[in-house]
Amino acid sequence: MDSTFETRLSDRYSGLSYTLRQAADYLANNPVDVASRTLRTVSRESGVSPAAFSRLARALDYADFEELREEMRAKIGRSVNNFAERAERLHSQHQEGRASFVDAHLAACQSNLQTFVDSLDRRALEGAVDRVAAARKVMLLGALGSTGVVEYLSYMASFCVDNWMMASRMGASLGGGMAGLDERDALIIVTKPPFSERAIQAAALAQQQGVYVVLVTDTHRCPALKHASVSFVVPTDSPHFYSSYVVTMFLVEAIIGVLVSRTGPAARTRIAEVEAANRVLAEVWDQ
């Protein structure tokens, strides 16, 4: 098994004991400390025994805790210079009175993107796209702050496929959209704290019906993870009062890009047909 720590943790978190969840939360929130400090120090700082960290490593299919730590060291090593450079730049700007929210937000978004790309399980992404591409019907669900990004995903998909649709759009019944779905179908859900109860329940219902569930969230504590067939946990850190959706937008655009690259001529033909229809219907400005 060669999936990343984030993927393994998301897949297994709901089945971990309370103590192992404590250990997992500390690892997820303090990767630099875990990578650079001794296990004894990590144990003292976290209040979790060394044995619990070792059990967690085995529960996530690592040979031992040191193998888990090495993965974190490698990932941090790929990005630490960029992080340090950005931190120094922001500090200098602040000292010179030039610091601004825009600078801080840009640095956070760049860091989020790099972190996500470094930890992304590309085979999982390609496998998810292949499975969704083969589905009879693909339902899309987002609520609260995630509604807009799912609307955008639906809009992009409409150019290249004709079987993707929004669930519960414009007051439509969510139950009506979920009824009749089975193992031939897929459901893509985007949900972040504060979680929409309807999104969590839809994931559970879809799993019961055998639907392939793709979940996008920003924390391994998301209650819907245990119902997902595949999941992607995106970083959302920002000085903003609200979590950032930059990486989420990157991911949904990547999903559509991979979809088009894998469906080939059929997708390109439909895109051309949609563009032609848009012109006939005067939906776009065409000089």
Side-chain angles (χ1 to χ4, degrees):
M1 181 177 183
D2 59 359
S3 55
T4 65
F5 167 73
E6 290 81 5
T7 300
R8 300 186 198 196
L9 180 59
S10 298
D11 290 344
R12 312 287 177 84
Y13 188 79
S14 64
L16 297 177
S17 67
Y18 174 76
T19 300
L20 295 193
R21 285 190 184 188
Q22 283 185 301
D25 290 345
Y26 188 84
L27 293 186
N29 295 327
N30 302 276
V32 175
D33 287 346
V34 172
S36 59
R37 296 185 173 185
T38 65
L39 179 55
R40 181 175 298 179
T41 301
V42 170
S43 173
R44 184 174 65 250
E45 294 292 329
S46 64
V48 179
S49 71
F53 283 105
S54 297
R55 292 200 306 274
L56 173 65
R58 291 192 295 272
L60 298 181
D61 283 342
Y62 291 98
D64 50 33
F65 183 73
E66 193 58 33
E67 183 182 5
L68 187 161
R69 190 210 298 270
E70 282 301 316
E71 179 186 315
M72 289 192 160
R73 284 173 176 161
K75 182 173 67 175
I76 291 170
R78 289 192 296 269
S79 57
V80 69
N81 290 335
N82 287 335
F83 293 165
E85 180 181 334
R86 291 173 193 145
E88 179 61 30
R89 184 169 64 247
L90 283 173
H91 176 70
S92 298
Q93 290 171 342
H94 177 74
Q95 292 295 101
E96 297 167 8
R98 296 187 295 111
S100 70
F101 170 81
V102 172
D103 295 324
H105 187 51
L106 173 61
C109 291
Q110 289 174 328
S111 176
N112 288 341
L113 280 167
Q114 191 63 59
T115 298
F116 178 69
V117 170
D118 286 345
S119 63
L120 177 62
D121 187 334
R122 295 165 195 267
R123 289 199 299 179
L125 175 62
E126 292 173 358
V129 173
D130 286 343
R131 178 64 179 78
V132 169
R136 175 187 62 168
K137 184 185 299 184
V138 180
M139 301 297 294
L140 309 174
L141 179 61
L144 304 176
S146 299
T147 303
V149 72
V150 175
E151 288 269 6
Y152 177 50
L153 174 59
S154 176
Y155 177 75
M156 286 190 293
S158 70
F159 276 84
C160 50
V161 290
D162 60 4
N163 61 334
W164 290 39
M165 56 207 73
M166 289 284 296
S168 191
R169 188 174 188 273
M170 301 295 288
S173 165
L174 178 57
M178 298 290 297
L181 297 183
D182 57 32
E183 65 278 355
R184 296 170 293 177
D185 305 307
L187 172 65
I188 300 177
I189 298 176
V190 181
T191 184
K192 301 178 184 181
F195 299 112
S196 163
E197 184 175 353
R198 294 167 72 248
I200 308 303
Q201 292 175 339
L205 178 59
Q207 182 189 46
Q208 293 173 14
Q209 296 175 192
V211 177
Y212 183 79
V213 179
V214 180
L215 178 69
V216 179
T217 187
D218 64 350
T219 172
H220 57 275
R221 299 187 187 92
C222 176
L225 281 167
K226 62 184 177 182
H227 306 303
S229 307
V230 64
S231 60
F232 300 97
V233 178
V234 298
T236 57
D237 293 340
S238 171
H240 208 291
F241 77 93
Y242 203 77
S243 59
S244 171
Y245 271 77
V246 170
V247 179
T248 309
M249 295 292 283
F250 173 85
L251 176 58
V252 299
E253 289 180 347
I255 288 172
I256 295 299
V258 175
L259 176 69
V260 172
S261 72
R262 285 171 124 66
T263 50
R268 293 194 295 273
T269 298
R270 176 172 170 81
I271 291 171
E273 291 175 347
V274 170
E275 289 180 325
N278 284 343
R279 291 189 177 92
V280 170
L281 296 170
E283 288 194 315
V284 296
W285 180 260
D286 191 11
Q287 291 180 313

